[in-house]
Amino acid sequence: MSNKYGFNTLALHAGAEIDETNSRGLPLHRTSSYVFNSTTHAADLFALKELGNIYTRLMNPTHGVLEERMAALDGGAAALAVASGTAATFYAVINICGHGDEVVSANNLYGGTYTMFDSILPELGIKTKFENPLDPDNFEKVINEHTKMLFTEVIGNPVLDVANIGAISEVAHRHHIPLVVDSTFNTPYLFRPLEHGADVVIHSLTKWLGGHGTGIGGIVVDSGKFDWTDRKFRLYNEPDASYHGLRFAHDLGDLNPLAFIMRMRLVPLRNLGACISPDNAWMFLQGIETLPLRMQRHCDNAMEIALYLTDHPAVKWVRYPGLEQDPAYEMASRQFENGFGGMVVFGIKGGREAGETFINNLALISHLANVGDAKTLAIHPASTTHSQLSEDQQLEGGITPDLIRLSVGIESVEDIHGDIGQALDKTK
Ligand SMILES: *Cc1c(COP(=O)(O)O)cnc(C)c1O
C-alpha cells in the first residue's frame, strides 16, 4: 500500500488487502501451522530460499497486517509483533547485545524495563549504565568500546519529562551505535522517533494502540537504515550456526536492510518464543483503526484535566507536557504533533494519606495498574507499583508520597472533572 496516503488512511488500510473471500472485515488466521505444497517447498522455506508461512510462532498473515500497518504509521522499513511490550524490549536488546556488551539507558524508565535492565540483563552478561536523558551529554560521557545501544523513552516516568530524541540520536550515531526508543506514551499519532534519528522504536500495544485495555502485546519497528556491518556487532557479522553460517548483515541479499527484524524473527522469536496470538493481533488492528480519533480525544481531555487540576485548591502541583509552565513544554512542543498525550500526574495536599483517600473515593475512574485505556484510570504509585521500594528509593525515582498518576480517557470531560472534584473534596 502506498505510504503517500495520510496518517488516518494508513491507520485504517495499511498492510491489509481484500482476499479471495472479498471480506471487508479483516480475516483472522487462527492457525498454528501451514500445509507445505511439496517436500521441496518445505525444504526451501526452512533454508530461507523462499520466505513463507511455516508456523505461527514465526509468522502469521494476521500478524503480518499488524506489522505492515505499524511500519507504515511509524515510517519504518519493517516491524515484528510479539507477546508484550516487555518481550519487545527484551528481544530488541538481545538482538543487538550479548555477553560483555553494555547498554546506556535513560534512568526514568517504565518500572518493568528498569528491572529488566538492572537485574535480569546482568545475569546474561549485559550491563546497563543509567543516566538522566534530559542532557544527552550524560549519555556521551559513559559510552565506551563495549556500548552497543542507547535506550530511552520519549515521555519519562514518573513526571512525564520529554527527551530530545534528535540530540540523543546524534550522540548515538557519532559513536556508530543504534538508538532504541520506547514510544508507547506517544504512539505514532503524536511522534515518530524514526523521523528524528532513532533506529528502532518499541511500543506496548497494550496501551493506546490497542486502546481498550483488553489484551497484552508489543511491537518493534525498524528504520532499516542502521549499518550493522561494523564488526563490533558480533551477532550480525559472525556466521550463525543455526542458519548454515549465515551472516545477517551480509548474506540476505535484497533483504540486507531488514537484517534487524529478520534476525529478531529468526533468532529470538523463533527460539525463545514470546509470539503474539492471532486473536490479539486482530484486536490491536481494530484499535489502531481509530487511533487518530481516540488519541486526539485523549490529548484534548488530558489538557483540560491538567488545567482543571492546576487551579484546584487541594492540588499542590501538576505535571503535563502540554502546560506552558511545565519544564517539558518546550521540548514537547518542538517534537510532538497533534497534542501532548493522555498522561497527567499531580500531587495532592496532605501527602500519602490524602492520596489514598482520593483513590478510594473515585467512582467513575478505575483504580488499576495500566495506562492507555479508553476509560480514565488512576493509581497512587507510592502505595502500589513502587511500594516495594523504601521511601528514600521512591524519592530518588521521583515517586513522592503525594503523587497521583492519571491516564485520562475519552469520556465526556465534565464527567472526569466531576469525579476528580468530588474525590478531591474528601481529602480536605
Ligand atoms: C506498559 C509499558 C511497557 C510494557 O508493556 P507490556 O505490554 O505491559 O509488557 C513498556 N514500556 C512502557 C512505557 C509501558 O507503558
Side-chain angles (χ1 to χ4, degrees):
M1 155 142 217
S2 165
N3 282 8
K4 279 186 294 214
Y5 283 116
F7 190 92
N8 298 340
T9 309
L10 293 173
L12 285 156
H13 293 279
E17 270 164 28
I18 302 294
D19 72 7
E20 67 282 1
T21 65
N22 286 344
S23 307
R24 179 59 279 185
L26 183 74
L28 164 52
H29 294 274
R30 278 180 167 152
T31 187
S32 56
S33 37
Y34 306 83
V35 178
F36 303 122
N37 299 330
S38 65
T39 50
T40 315
H41 179 222
D44 285 351
L45 290 175
F46 273 90
L48 297 183
K49 279 192 200 150
E50 187 181 329
L51 286 182
N53 295 324
I54 299 175
Y55 194 62
T56 280
R57 175 159 24 82
L58 279 161
M59 59 202 275
N60 173 292
T62 310
H63 305 176
V65 177
L66 175 60
E67 289 161 352
E68 267 192 58
R69 188 161 306 173
M70 283 304 297
L73 293 176
D74 255 323
L80 183 70
V82 295
S84 66
T86 304
T89 304
F90 181 52
Y91 287 3
V93 174
I94 63 167
N95 206 35
I96 300 173
C97 301
H99 200 275
D101 291 337
E102 292 184 7
V103 177
V104 171
S105 170
N107 60 0
N108 56 349
L109 299 178
Y110 175 76
T113 308
Y114 191 91
T115 305
M116 182 196 306
F117 286 12
D118 190 48
S119 43
I120 312 288
L121 294 180
E123 297 286 343
L124 307 179
I126 301 167
K127 187 173 147 191
T128 299
K129 289 177 173 155
F130 293 101
E131 297 294 330
N132 182 336
L134 297 186
D135 182 356
D137 286 348
N138 295 338
F139 282 19
E140 185 137 40
K141 279 184 204 135
V142 297
I143 291 173
N144 64 29
E145 75 273 21
H146 304 295
T147 312
K148 297 291 157 66
M149 68 179 254
L150 302 192
F151 185 90
T152 191
E153 292 171 10
V154 185
I155 300 181
N157 201 22
V159 291
L160 314 177
D161 283 315
V162 175
N164 183 342
I165 300 302
I168 297 174
S169 78
E170 280 170 27
V171 171
H173 297 159
R174 242 193 320 275
H175 298 270
H176 195 237
I177 299 167
L179 171 61
V180 180
V181 171
D182 179 338
S183 194
T184 298
F185 279 30
N186 293 78
T187 82
Y189 180 68
L190 301 186
F191 184 62
R192 290 175 295 282
L194 302 182
E195 291 175 2
H196 295 254
D199 301 286
V200 173
V201 177
I202 291 166
H203 299 282
S204 168
L205 295 163
T206 314
K207 315 297 169 55
W208 291 267
L209 285 163
H212 298 78
T214 49
I216 307 281
I219 197 157
V220 180
V221 184
D222 173 26
S223 71
K225 291 185 185 145
F226 192 80
D227 175 13
W228 298 101
T229 60
D230 186 330
R231 297 200 58 84
K232 74 179 168 197
F233 297 105
R234 253 188 310 125
L235 306 179
Y236 291 81
N237 290 281
E238 289 176 9
D240 189 307
S242 58
Y243 283 103
H244 311 294
L246 178 113
R247 296 164 309 153
F248 279 92
H250 303 275
D251 302 332
L252 294 171
D254 291 350
L255 296 174
N256 270 343
L258 305 184
F260 181 82
I261 289 292
M262 291 277 289
R263 191 184 185 283
M264 191 179 291
R265 189 185 295 284
L266 295 171
V267 184
L269 181 62
R270 180 188 190 212
N271 302 300
L272 297 175
C275 59
I276 195 167
S277 77
D279 286 75
N280 279 356
W282 186 91
M283 191 175 61
F284 291 132
L285 280 157
Q286 296 302 298
I288 290 168
E289 289 196 358
T290 56
L291 174 73
L293 293 170
R294 286 185 293 102
M295 209 59 202
Q296 191 61 58
R297 177 75 77 80
H298 281 293
C299 292
D300 295 349
N301 281 1
M303 179 67 104
E304 269 205 58
I305 295 299
L307 290 168
Y308 170 79
L309 290 168
T310 304
D311 290 338
H312 199 288
V315 171
K316 202 151 79 184
W317 55 268
V318 182
R319 289 290 309 266
Y320 181 63
L323 294 173
E324 277 177 40
Q325 68 275 21
D326 194 275
Y329 177 74
E330 204 248 62
M331 192 52 64
S333 43
R334 239 203 288 165
Q335 297 186 109
F336 300 170
E337 290 169 37
N338 301 319
F340 298 90
M343 299 298 295
V344 177
V345 297
F346 66 101
I348 290 196
K349 286 181 188 161
R352 182 184 175 117
E353 204 184 319
E356 290 180 16
T357 305
F358 172 78
I359 293 280
N360 285 329
N361 282 287
L362 290 171
L364 176 70
I365 297 173
S366 305
H367 175 215
L368 54 74
N370 190 22
V371 296
D373 195 314
K375 298 167 272 299
T376 300
L377 317 175
I379 201 161
H380 178 232
S383 63
T384 56
T385 50
H386 292 69
S387 59
Q388 288 95 334
L389 303 179
S390 70
E391 194 159 322
D392 279 349
Q393 284 173 317
Q394 287 186 359
L395 287 175
E396 211 173 291
I399 311 291
T400 51
D402 62 353
L403 184 146
I404 301 284
R405 187 182 77 179
L406 290 176
S407 174
V408 178
I410 62 174
E411 295 96 342
S412 306
V413 73
E414 57 277 14
D415 296 332
I416 309 175
H417 287 167
D419 199 31
I420 292 174
Q422 63 78 23
L424 281 175
D425 288 346
K426 308 267 173 31
T427 68
K428 286 187 208 154

